[in-house]
Amino acid sequence: MQFAEQLALSDRGLHYGDGLFETMAVAAGRVRLLSRHVQRLTHGAARLAIALPDRAGLEAALQQAAETLGEGVLKLIVTRGSGGRGYAPPDNAEPTLVLLRYPQQLPTLTDAQEGLVVRLCDLTLARQPILAGIKHLNRLEYVLARAEWSEPEIAEGLLFDSQGELIEAVTSNVFIVKGGRVFTPYLDQCGVAGVMRAEVLACAARLDVAAEETRLFLDDVLCADEVFLTNSLHGIRPVRALHGQREWAVGPLLTQRLQHEFWSAL
Amino acid sequence: MQFAEQLALSDRGLHYGDGLFETMAVAAGRVRLLSRHVQRLTHGAARLAIALPDRAGLEAALQQAAETLGEGVLKLIVTRGSGGRGYAPPDNAEPTLVLLRYPQQLPTLTDAQEGLVVRLCDLTLARQPILAGIKHLNRLEYVLARAEWSEPEIAEGLLFDSQGELIEAVTSNVFIVKGGRVFTPYLDQCGVAGVMRAEVLACAARLDVAAEETRLFLDDVLCADEVFLTNSLHGIRPVRALHGQREWAVGPLLTQRLQHEFWSAL
């Protein structure tokens, strides 16, 4: 498995965002949720018709990088390769694999238990089923949504689509708890299907908690018993306030149970 | 003006498609429509809040590259710069400028007079007003649309949005001629506002031909007296067939007049 030392200026990742990425937490020399990450990448590559290297080799190379890193974040970018004038790729395009290593302390369960303050983003996500769910490199909407606020006390922004449906947050998926059940938006029109989102659905199943995908709107957030966000680096984070609109206790009903289930299974 | 010799692996152009590009025709050592290209880039940079270098310096650097190239294509990519974990850019992000030089023979008026065969793309463009019109680096929709066909006799694919409105073609803007007037789609929901599109509207004004932006649908294409496509490299190209559905004479009513007006003003 060869990771690129530098990027050709003709790479289609740069020219078109023609590729995918995964951001992975590494703790104690192991990639958390490695097989889920590789599975999502494989699914995305199939959707974009990018020829990935074999899965076992990729997992081994990531695991080896994790051993060297110890603790931190690995970001893998896979592009369709070189070419860059003309949308049709050259016949001989070979995928480019870039691996970035960020040594850092990972957030702990204690960090997550503080709860988050979130806001509503003004930007609405476009509906594009052909790209929905996969973690591709066309991320300008998220860059612009994240640029909407700079207050450090606001950790995340909730994103709705052009029809007013709740989709996710800028770097997280979103769940609500209502009446003892857990709900999260469908991601068939837009949004990124996070590996932690899938893991939370698995945790809920192990706890015999009903969890389902559904259509959610702002009112569902405002009326929720609990709201929490998930991503690979932070795990599960309860929302303690929607800035200026609503506050919540920090996950006493179900969110804390899911947090403990996730951390104990790591 | 410093163009990058290589791209940092942390560049936001790669990570998010966080940038813009221009593809420019160079003939006889000059960039065609240079001020229109720089104007669009400036507008796009303002929309994305990317700090461009000063316009005069940029035009001079492009013109200098054109003199060296003689004939061919220049592709300029401007990204927000380095930083690639976290959508919020670092405070000190400095834009990256990449200039690619492609020596080649440019298409001539004679080439354009052959007329094109086009098809309808299955992919529909998502509506995202915040990105509409600008030539940003999030181009996966176009990559996937272009992958829909491989027949060399089909030069272009018409793209509609999720509401069924005609928007453009994969690498061109689209115009129809009807009743002695010229129409082209609004680009306020999606699509790229081409510099040739603006130039054609200016050519029509000089010829006293009525030309306007409007909402167009497939029926308007099928009932059009003429259809033509425009882009910076090919200028104005009449469509001679919508594959399997309709044929046209090659622009006798208005398209040829616009072609001659464009070429004589170069």
Side-chain angles (χ1 to χ4, degrees), chain B residues 9 19 33 51 53 74 82 84 92 121 131 145 222 236 243 246 250 256:
Chain B
L9 292 182
L33 307 177
L74 289 177
S82 238
N92 59 355
C121 288
L131 294 175
L222 296 173
I236 299 167
H243 188 65
R246 163 100 212 245
V250 180
Q256 289 177 20

Side-chain angles (χ1 to χ4, degrees), chain B residues 161-185:
Chain B
D161 74 8
S162 52
Q163 314 277 315
E165 289 192 26
L166 176 67
I167 302 298
E168 61 191 345
V170 178
T171 62
S172 312
N173 287 114
V174 59
F175 289 76
I176 73 165
V177 175
K178 181 77 181 175
R181 302 159 69 88
V182 175
F183 300 92
T184 193

